[in-house]
Amino acid sequence: MAILKDDTSYTHVIAIDFGTGASGYGIAPMLVESGQKPRIEVFNPCDDLDDQKTPTAILFDDEGNFLAFGTHALQRYAEILDDEETALLFQCYKMHLLHMDENAVSIDGRELPLMKVISESLKYIADKAVEKLTEQIGKVINSKIRWVVTVPALWGEDHKQFMRKSAMNAGIVDCLNSPNLLLSLEPEGASIQCREDSEENIKNSLEKDKIVMVLD
């Protein structure tokens, strides 16, 4: 378990929503005026204009080198097929982690290590997030970023440790127990945000031990 640093030591939060079908990221400043809420901006890592997320798809060449992610991967793969060439396109590969499979299977049946496929996915999204934050504020100090990666509530400690190692391999953090990385359970994150966005009377009714239902 990571030991979390005091939140005041961070300037921004970058949250990665790595989903089975689609993925995206959000950026929020940690330092806000007293009584104000942080402004959360949500982005599509492929800059698609019609959606806040991009399909969770990743493309490698036949030697296992990363080529593209998201809609760019799907478009590039279609071009490769038109040229009667081959490449490895992976979709729905997050499901392999549920079963702790060693390899992910491409749509043409070939395999690559699941750790490599997920690490490259996180790296792409994280790099895009840092690029966006750099556009907004100029210089970005990595140690001042609190990274959040969403994980399903049904995942066990082995799954979470896999994601921590993937984040380390992606260059997001420099060690497994880095305090800069927080894994957030998807339903907990959703319920907290719903409460924060609610009207005051609804927010006040959500007291401790209150039972709520979260539908995704």
Side-chain angles (χ1 to χ4, degrees):
M1 177 181 295
I3 300 174
L4 301 181
K5 291 192 292 187
D6 185 347
D7 282 348
T8 58
S9 64
Y10 302 105
T11 60
H12 290 80
V13 174
I14 298 178
I16 296 177
D17 180 8
F18 174 60
T20 302
S23 297
Y25 68 90
I27 298 176
M30 291 290 293
L31 305 176
V32 295
E33 296 291 334
S34 178
Q36 292 186 349
K37 294 181 179 179
R39 181 170 58 94
I40 302 173
E41 295 182 281
V42 179
F43 298 98
N44 183 316
C46 290
D47 295 324
D48 299 330
L49 298 178
D50 59 345
D51 204 346
Q52 293 180 336
K53 293 184 181 183
T54 195
T56 303
I58 190 167
L59 184 67
F60 296 85
D61 66 19
D62 291 332
E63 283 71 48
N65 300 306
F66 171 78
L67 292 177
F69 181 82
T71 53
H72 299 161
L74 299 177
Q75 293 165 359
R76 181 83 176 273
Y77 188 64
E79 293 169 359
I80 288 172
L81 293 182
D82 285 343
D83 292 336
E84 298 184 350
E85 297 178 353
T86 60
L88 291 87
L89 178 68
F90 295 87
Q91 295 178 287
C92 299
Y93 47 93
K94 185 178 176 182
M95 294 302 297
H96 287 291
L97 183 51
L98 174 62
H99 305 292
M100 293 301 291
D101 295 330
E102 183 175 346
N103 293 326
V105 182
S106 68
I107 63 172
D108 66 0
R110 289 182 287 170
E111 299 183 0
L112 282 179
L114 181 62
M115 179 67 71
K116 177 183 179 69
V117 175
I118 292 182
S119 295
E120 289 286 359
S121 301
L122 294 180
K123 183 180 187 304
Y124 179 88
I125 300 172
D127 287 350
K128 289 296 182 180
V130 171
E131 286 178 16
K132 180 64 68 174
L133 183 57
T134 301
E135 291 175 7
Q136 296 177 344
I137 68 171
K139 184 178 180 180
V140 174
I141 301 175
N142 291 336
S143 62
K144 297 290 187 180
I145 302 300
R146 160 60 63 80
W147 290 92
V148 179
V149 177
T150 59
V151 296
L154 57 81
W155 277 8
E157 291 304 315
D158 288 346
H159 302 90
K160 296 173 187 176
Q161 190 74 351
F162 186 102
M163 289 302 293
R164 284 192 170 277
K165 188 171 182 180
S166 296
M168 184 181 72
N169 291 345
I172 294 173
V173 292
D174 55 10
C175 65
L176 282 176
N177 293 324
S178 172
N180 291 65
L181 177 61
L182 176 67
L183 299 183
S184 172
L185 298 182
E186 292 167 354
E188 287 187 358
S191 62
I192 291 172
Q193 189 59 45
C194 286
R195 182 182 184 278
E196 288 300 308
D197 290 342
S198 299
E199 296 179 0
E200 201 63 30
N201 62 326
I202 297 177
K203 185 183 298 185
N204 293 335
S205 69
L206 298 176
E207 303 169 343
K208 183 179 179 181
D209 298 326
K210 193 84 170 185
I211 298 175
V212 298
M213 180 181 293
V214 178
L215 304 177
D216 184 359

